[in-house]
């Protein structure tokens, strides 16, 4: 299992991490498609539609990471109240960063 750090330590299960990586790869492909479309002079409608799809893929990857953090936090209900308050504040900040 690989450990990821971003303000709070989370251990992401291999399947959860794989799903996030797949979403990011999909977004990467969509962004490459947008670049190609712009270089080819495709219509604004087509470019914006593809760009919106890439944006949704990135948002979903972010939400998947946050949801995994919530799942791990809920499974480990042994924290003290101050730890839980701090964790809640960090998770709230992460959600808002994607809004």
């Amino acid at each position: 299992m690989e450990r990821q750090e971003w303000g709070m330590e989370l251990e992401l299960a291999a399947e959860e991490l794989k799903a996030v990586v797949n979403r990011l790869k999909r977004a990467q492909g969509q962004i490459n498609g947008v670049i190609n479309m712009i270089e080819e002079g495709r219509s604004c409608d087509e470019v914006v539609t593809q760009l919106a799809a890439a944006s949704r893929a990135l948002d979903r990857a972010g939400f998947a990471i946050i949801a995994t953090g919530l799942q791990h936090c809920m499974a480990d209900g042994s924290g003290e109240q101050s730890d839980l308050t701090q964790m809640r504040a960090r998770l709230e900040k992460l959600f808002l960063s994607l809004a």
Side-chain angles (χ1 to χ4, degrees):
M1 224 180 289
E2 187 175 334
R3 180 164 275 224
Q4 304 291 321
E5 269 186 59
W6 39 280
M8 69 182 117
E9 293 183 326
L10 295 177
E11 289 185 12
L12 299 177
E15 283 186 38
E16 293 165 334
L17 184 58
K18 184 178 178 182
V20 170
V21 169
N22 286 340
R23 287 182 191 274
L24 292 172
K25 286 181 179 180
R26 186 176 311 124
Q28 183 179 33
Q30 290 167 326
I31 291 169
N32 286 335
V34 169
I35 292 168
N36 290 335
M37 292 170 77
I38 291 170
E39 291 174 344
E40 294 169 0
R42 302 278 287 274
S43 77
C44 186
D45 290 350
E46 291 176 310
V47 171
V48 170
T49 299
Q50 191 67 19
L51 193 55
S55 178
R56 283 190 304 272
L58 290 172
D59 287 345
R60 288 182 179 143
F63 286 128
I65 291 170
I66 294 170
T68 299
L70 285 173
Q71 181 181 4
H72 286 270
C73 294
M74 289 173 40
D76 182 30
S78 61
E80 294 181 24
Q81 186 61 36
S82 63
D83 293 338
L84 294 175
T85 302
Q86 267 187 328
M87 188 177 304
R88 180 174 186 247
R90 282 186 256 161
L91 288 169
E92 184 176 332
K93 184 177 178 181
L94 287 172
F95 269 117
L96 292 173
S97 72
L98 291 173

